[in-house]
Amino acid sequence: MTEPLVIRAPAEMTAWSRAAHASGERIAFVPTMGALHAGHVVLLGDGRRRAERLVLSIFVNPTQFGPNEDLARYPRDLPGDLAKAAGAGTDVAFVPDAGDIYPAGFQTTVAVGELSRGLDGPLRPGHFAGVATVVAKLFNIVRPDLAIFGEKDFQQLAIVRRMVADLAMGIEIVGVPTVREP
Ligand code: PAF
């Protein structure tokens, strides 16, 4: 099992993806916040089968946490994540710093409208806008052909599908049945 190449700089990630596309390879992408579990491994396995290249991102996204949800206590285990990613045949783990995703002066976000209000948006204000914004940014950096999400998070999956269609992102969104651990 070879450990995935760890890329931290967005420009390096985009350059890697450009080179893969130039070689005629398709890229499958699994965005995560780390602390990988069996459900993530299922998503990675699906991506591995669908494309020549498999990229995982690990980024605990501050903008999708509410004031009462503890960002600081979110589990982090990079060595463990890389071992699991290696087992699933991941080529690249993109692990950016918060300052690279949200640099000083950052002010452009994706508003998700009605769809988030009909789901649990009012209970978690800002949560789905935070998810949509970071997923859009990760898509722009990683430039995948397809991205894989657990069907268990059906609200998130619906919002990502809507965003990709509305903003003509041209990325295939694959929903995979998974079991989510607590
Ligand atoms: O499902 C998650 O882990 C997160 O919401 C995601 C899609 C990685 C965005 O931060």
Side-chain angles (χ1 to χ4, degrees), residues 82-165:
L82 293 179
K84 286 178 189 130
T90 308
D91 294 299
V92 170
F94 176 49
V95 189
D97 287 333
D100 283 325
I101 299 297
Y102 301 112
F106 184 95
Q107 54 188 282
T108 305
T109 58
V110 178
V112 286
E114 277 307 314
L115 195 50
S116 80
R117 282 194 280 281
L119 300 169
D120 71 3
L123 299 176
R124 304 178 77 186
H127 171 74
F128 285 120
V131 170
T133 300
V134 80
V135 169
K137 183 141 189 180
L138 291 169
F139 283 175
N140 284 335
I141 295 168
V142 174
R143 316 262 171 109
D145 298 276
L146 57 120
I148 310 197
F149 291 83
E151 280 179 353
K152 199 81 181 155
D153 278 326
F154 71 95
Q155 300 162 309
Q156 173 169 283
L157 177 58
I159 279 167
V160 170
R161 282 194 201 285
R162 188 76 249 169
M163 173 182 76
V164 166

Side-chain angles (χ1 to χ4, degrees), residues 31-80:
T32 79
M33 298 208 294
L36 300 189
H37 52 67
H40 293 115
V41 173
V42 170
L43 302 184
L44 290 168
D46 193 86
R48 179 71 286 165
R49 284 188 293 278
R50 286 176 190 268
E52 288 78 26
R53 293 297 191 167
L54 176 61
V55 176
L56 157 80
S57 66
I58 298 173
F59 178 63
V60 182
N61 175 34
T63 67
Q64 69 188 79
F65 286 78
N68 301 321
E69 298 168 345
D70 204 341
L71 169 66
R73 287 179 52 202
Y74 196 85
R76 289 164 173 88
D77 174 19
L78 187 58

